[in-house]
Amino acid sequence: MNRYLFVGPSLPDAESVVPGGVRLLPPIAGGDVLRLPLESGDVVGIIDGYFHHVPAVRHKELLHILAHGVRVVGGASIGALRAAELDVFGMEGVGQIYADFRDGVIDGDDEVALMHAPSDAGYRPHSVPLVDVRATLAAAEDAGVCDRNTRLTLIDALSSLSYAKRTYAHMIAIGHKLGLRTCDVTAVESFIERYAVNQKRADALLVVQSIMHDAPDCAAPAVGAFELNETIFLYSWRLESNRSQVHIDGEDVDVSDLAALRVLQLFAHDYAAFYRRWALRWIVEECERDCGSSSVGDDPRELVNRAIDHGIHRGLYADPAGESGKDVAWLSAWTTEEELRSCDVDELLAHFLVRSYRVAPGIVPDEPALAQARRCTVFRHATQAACLSDLMVTELQQRYAHYHPADLDETRIAEWLAQRWRVPVDGLELAAFERGLNGRAGLIAAARPLYVFAKYNPTLVDLLIEETL
């Protein structure tokens, strides 16, 4: 069993208080759990996490690992929030903050947010999370230091501010401005100096305790205990979490393998032929697995014939050998006018099967394509190109405050790719399907982060995926 703990400012001394055998990780962000080598029975504890300027950990990511038998425990900060949202699926929540989120006592993400210094400065806090303010003022009221009205007035005043501006000093100053009795505000200030409650730390220690012990009855379900539908987004996040290291300017830089695949899909001159062969092979393998057909070799004609047979098995179209199968008008949505005029029925059906192939509704076969591309020598070069493109985007964003690939002109990108692929602009939809991309929209999305780099470094993306071509 492996244990992981995502922790930061809630428990800045984690290295000294967390028992050995737990891998300590920085605050969690989107994609982080998908990058872990998790197996059924492993434990993931979540305390702190990023948001706002970095994608927060997504619910679907946690559901994915829960569905695969990983125990997930949350508390104190974003861990408490996610546990309150996902406890019905088996995520364990511990501590008062989790209970308050679960019961609707608090409901805002900002309740646990704070500004703090980076890890190398010990996560020194620059603000106070609202959950700690609530706990401290509740303790002050219980001790007779203030009444309910003073407590609620101070909390409401601080709640109206951005989380970055929430400090006890600011709260005391606001209390005086609001006309609360000076003696009451002064008494609260004195109480805070001596007895301020760090509820996040208390709950974080409970998370540590929990991950070190066996799961309670309410723990994560066994593998397959609930059905998780893999969306297009989860599929993409999973693949993006697979990363390789590239040595650039004396440093090792992580880059997504999926970004390298996009480089090949967009710029390898022979990628369409590479993808066609493998798409047909995947269809034939499905036929062998599901229909009990015999295996075939790599003969291109045999692959086409067997793939066409599987389309018949699946009821996609009539047998082209029969009279009704010779009607090809329906194929006009998947082929060009030139192909309809010049290709026989078998070749038209092959175009259809390759261009329409999906591993699930709406999901193009990036995963099997990536598995094959990794075996090619040029994949390393594509990874370097993807890394250099990422670095260029970062440099442009630092130089020009408003630069973002999402704002690049779609028409210009489309025209440039059409010229590179030697197809008309209105033929980009089919050309994208031919390379395993999800139509024109998927093509443009894939091209945006790579366009500027590729346009001004054409020799670095002048690629062939097949060494023999």
Side-chain angles (χ1 to χ4, degrees), residues 37-90:
L38 295 170
E39 298 179 354
S40 179
D42 286 347
V43 183
V44 173
I46 300 174
I47 295 174
D48 294 303
Y50 290 110
F51 71 106
H52 195 188
H53 62 291
V54 175
V57 60
R58 306 167 181 103
H59 303 79
K60 207 80 171 184
E61 299 173 51
L62 299 179
L63 289 172
H64 174 73
I65 63 173
L66 283 167
H68 285 80
V70 175
R71 183 179 168 217
V72 185
V73 183
S77 192
I78 198 170
L81 178 63
R82 289 293 182 265
E85 295 161 334
L86 299 177
D87 54 8
V88 293
F89 295 101

Side-chain angles (χ1 to χ4, degrees), residues 36 38 57 108 173 182 186 201 218 222 256 274 340 344 391 398 467:
L36 294 177
L38 295 170
V57 60
T182 301
T186 302
R201 178 180 177 80
C218 61
S256 165
F274 171 87
L340 282 171
D344 60 25
L391 293 174
Q398 291 172 346
E467 296 179 24

Side-chain angles (χ1 to χ4, degrees), residues 90-275:
M91 182 172 176
E92 299 169 47
V94 297
Q96 186 62 50
I97 298 170
Y98 156 71
D100 286 346
F101 273 126
R102 179 197 61 199
D103 299 338
V105 176
I106 55 176
D107 58 10
D109 295 11
D110 67 318
E111 290 275 349
V112 293
L114 78 156
M115 290 289 288
H116 58 81
S119 59
D120 56 10
Y123 294 109
R124 185 176 64 255
H126 299 312
S127 65
V128 182
L130 204 55
V131 288
D132 284 356
V133 176
R134 290 181 187 278
T136 298
L137 293 181
E141 183 181 355
D142 290 343
V145 173
C146 68
D147 59 17
R148 183 174 183 273
N149 178 66
T150 299
R151 174 174 63 85
L152 295 179
T153 299
L154 292 174
I155 289 174
D156 287 346
L158 212 58
S159 299
S160 65
L161 301 178
S162 164
Y163 72 88
K165 297 180 179 179
R166 293 171 183 165
T167 66
Y168 284 127
H170 207 161
M171 183 184 75
I172 295 302
I174 291 173
H176 286 301
K177 289 180 181 179
L178 290 175
L180 294 174
R181 291 194 309 171
T182 301
C183 60
D184 290 342
V185 177
T186 302
V188 168
E189 184 176 18
S190 298
F191 183 87
I192 290 170
E193 290 173 357
R194 299 183 63 186
Y195 305 114
V197 178
N198 191 336
Q199 189 65 54
K200 289 184 74 174
R201 178 180 177 80
D203 286 7
L205 291 171
L206 291 177
V207 174
V208 174
Q209 269 185 23
S210 182
I211 66 173
M212 296 307 299
H213 293 90
D214 292 338
D217 293 339
C218 61
V223 177
F226 66 91
E227 183 177 355
L228 176 67
N229 292 321
E230 184 167 64
T231 63
I232 296 172
F233 303 106
L234 177 57
Y235 184 80
S236 177
W237 298 332
R238 279 201 305 102
L239 297 188
E240 286 174 357
S241 70
N242 297 319
R243 307 183 77 81
S244 299
Q245 281 198 334
V246 180
H247 197 67
I248 302 288
D249 295 333
E251 294 185 9
D252 289 329
V253 183
D254 280 348
V255 62
S256 165
D257 287 357
L258 189 58
L261 176 64
R262 297 290 182 249
V263 169
L264 294 174
Q265 289 174 308
L266 292 169
F267 307 123
H269 300 292
D270 57 337
Y271 189 85
F274 171 87
Y275 178 75

Side-chain angles (χ1 to χ4, degrees), residues 374-451:
R374 283 197 189 99
R375 300 179 180 180
C376 301
T377 303
V378 75
F379 187 76
R380 186 68 179 172
H381 188 103
T383 303
Q384 291 176 329
C387 182
L388 290 170
S389 182
D390 284 348
L391 293 174
M392 177 177 278
V393 169
T394 300
E395 182 179 343
L396 288 170
Q397 289 176 327
Q398 291 172 346
R399 187 179 302 177
Y400 307 105
H402 300 295
Y403 176 82
H404 196 283
D407 297 326
L408 295 175
D409 183 65
E410 178 179 332
T411 301
R412 186 172 297 180
I413 295 173
E415 291 174 348
W416 181 74
L417 281 171
Q419 183 179 23
R420 183 180 179 88
W421 290 357
R422 298 179 182 177
V423 298
V425 173
D426 62 5
L428 279 176
E429 179 92 353
L430 292 180
F433 287 142
E434 195 87 356
R435 290 170 173 260
L437 292 160
N438 209 354
R440 180 185 169 112
L443 165 66
I444 297 299
R448 285 190 186 280
L450 299 165
Y451 168 67

